Amino acid sequence: MSSDEYVDGEGWLSDESEFYGNSRQQSQWESRLRQPDLDEYLSETHLNLNHLAAINLAKKAAAPPSPSKEPYNPFEGQRTGRQLSETVPEFLSRLPPSKTRQSDAEPWIWISNPYLPRGAVPDSADVPAFTAAAETILNELDAAARDAAEQPLRAGKAAVDAAVAKFRVEAERKLLAAAKKYEVKSGKWMLFPIRRDVDRIWGTVAEAMGRGQLGHVAKVAAECDQGDRVGRPVCVYTHDFGNREDVKRVLLKLVELDLVPKRGEVRMVYKTDAWTHAGIKMNNAWGIKASTYSSVDLLKKK
């Protein structure tokens, strides 16, 4: 029989088949896999085919997901993105944010997680539809706030403020629903290093991103001659702001990289792209909180 006539057997044996042993036996082998003396045990034990099959099945179930065999880069061919043909140090040397000039066409420098295969992060966001819906929602909030303010003075300021707060909460609920409906789910942790620190901090983020330890992409603003008056934004993205566990995982990695204060009230904030597209900034006229999470809140011990 030639080599190309062999088959790997994938799918031939059901996970429910007794070939692997019954559920009690499979549990025993999964337990053995977690013990450090497994190799010694196997060398001293005569195993039949069922035992070997059960071991392989347990190993397959316990193994972490392997990275993509073919690295994928959404910024391949873009001048301001890291290329797969260059190492991260080469990328950082080619595009240091302190010296790379910003332009209207290329205001950001980008790097992606190369271990996520194409399609791992859904690209189905309908930003124009969400932006239109957000504009309608915020216009309704403006109108409701004006109507409340025009109530007779006898209602009192406290009553007016309470009415406006109620309208604001409802507007936030509608905005979140629209973000989910139109799949505008991505968001980012935001750092703002001053100019003399931006290369070092961006370098730390880029190295971690190149190792696949953060989210799916990160970016830093290129040089725009603002000096140290304004912090330079560095954004580390996650693909779903509703996935609190993943948002916190990325935050904890940033803490491990010494990019986030471990104690105190100095905050790093996480902002959804939905809020960015809706034009919701700090100290906005609607009184809507611009950030979704803060490092202080997520790092509090329960």
Side-chain angles (χ1 to χ4, degrees):
M1 181 181 286
S2 64
S3 62
D4 60 358
E5 291 179 273
Y6 286 98
V7 295
D8 61 11
E10 182 71 23
W12 283 50
L13 295 174
S14 167
D15 290 350
E16 299 176 358
S17 170
E18 289 290 319
F19 180 85
Y20 296 115
N22 59 37
S23 59
R24 179 180 60 82
Q25 290 170 324
Q26 291 183 30
S27 296
Q28 288 175 343
W29 284 115
E30 289 174 3
S31 176
R32 291 299 312 176
L33 282 172
R34 293 190 288 270
Q35 299 181 22
D37 62 342
L38 177 63
D39 291 337
E40 179 181 350
Y41 177 83
L42 294 178
S43 68
E44 297 174 356
T45 306
H46 297 288
L47 302 176
N48 62 31
L49 183 60
N50 284 24
H51 291 155
L52 292 171
I55 290 171
N56 288 331
L57 182 66
K59 282 183 176 179
K60 182 178 179 181
S66 59
S68 171
K69 292 181 180 179
E70 296 183 3
Y72 169 64
N73 179 22
F75 308 114
E76 200 69 16
Q78 296 184 24
R79 187 186 72 85
T80 55
R82 185 240 173 151
Q83 305 299 294
L84 293 177
S85 60
E86 61 187 350
T87 65
V88 174
E90 289 170 343
F91 162 68
L92 294 171
S93 177
R94 178 171 65 87
L95 294 169
S98 65
K99 298 177 181 177
T100 302
R101 303 291 303 176
Q102 188 178 91
S103 70
D104 290 340
E106 298 175 327
W108 300 97
I109 300 167
W110 294 87
I111 185 170
S112 70
N113 179 344
Y115 298 108
L116 292 177
R118 184 189 299 270
V121 177
D123 187 21
S124 52
D126 189 343
V127 174
F130 169 77
T131 303
E135 182 177 4
T136 298
I137 294 166
L138 293 173
N139 285 341
E140 290 174 350
L141 176 57
D142 282 335
R146 284 195 302 269
D147 289 344
E150 292 171 359
Q151 294 300 311
L153 293 178
R154 63 177 178 274
K157 185 178 185 302
V160 171
D161 290 345
V164 172
K166 182 178 179 180
F167 295 137
R168 183 186 306 119
V169 169
E170 178 63 13
E172 291 175 355
R173 186 194 66 77
K174 290 180 178 179
L175 286 167
L176 286 173
K180 292 177 182 178
K181 176 180 179 179
Y182 297 112
E183 299 192 29
V184 184
K185 297 180 179 180
S186 59
K188 60 269 184 187
W189 283 109
M190 305 176 70
L191 300 86
F192 294 93
I194 59 176
R195 187 178 187 275
R196 64 173 176 267
D197 292 335
V198 69
D199 287 351
R200 174 181 61 81
I201 290 177
W202 172 244
T204 301
V205 168
E207 290 283 2
M209 184 64 70
R211 294 190 294 269
Q213 295 175 330
L214 296 173
H216 59 295
V217 295
K219 69 181 182 181
V220 61
E223 173 60 36
C224 57
D225 293 327
Q226 289 186 321
D228 284 345
R229 293 175 298 167
V230 179
R232 189 80 64 85
V234 174
C235 301
V236 181
Y237 283 81
T238 73
H239 74 277
D240 184 356
F241 67 80
N243 188 339
R244 186 184 178 97
E245 182 178 343
D246 188 51
V247 171
K248 186 172 182 178
R249 177 192 65 80
V250 172
L251 172 63
L252 290 174
K253 187 62 186 181
L254 294 172
V255 171
E256 181 184 324
L257 295 170
D258 207 23
L259 296 177
V260 184
K262 299 179 180 66
R263 296 183 179 85
E265 294 301 315
V266 178
R267 300 189 311 156
M268 184 168 71
V269 298
Y270 181 99
K271 184 177 182 180
T272 69
D273 283 353
W275 263 222
T276 298
H277 293 307
I280 299 173
K281 302 178 181 179
M282 288 184 62
N283 303 318
N284 57 81
W286 306 288
I288 295 175
K289 188 177 179 181
S291 60
T292 306
Y293 306 108
S294 81
S295 57
V296 171
D297 293 338
L298 288 191
L299 294 175
K300 282 180 180 177
K301 293 184 179 180
K302 300 295 184 183

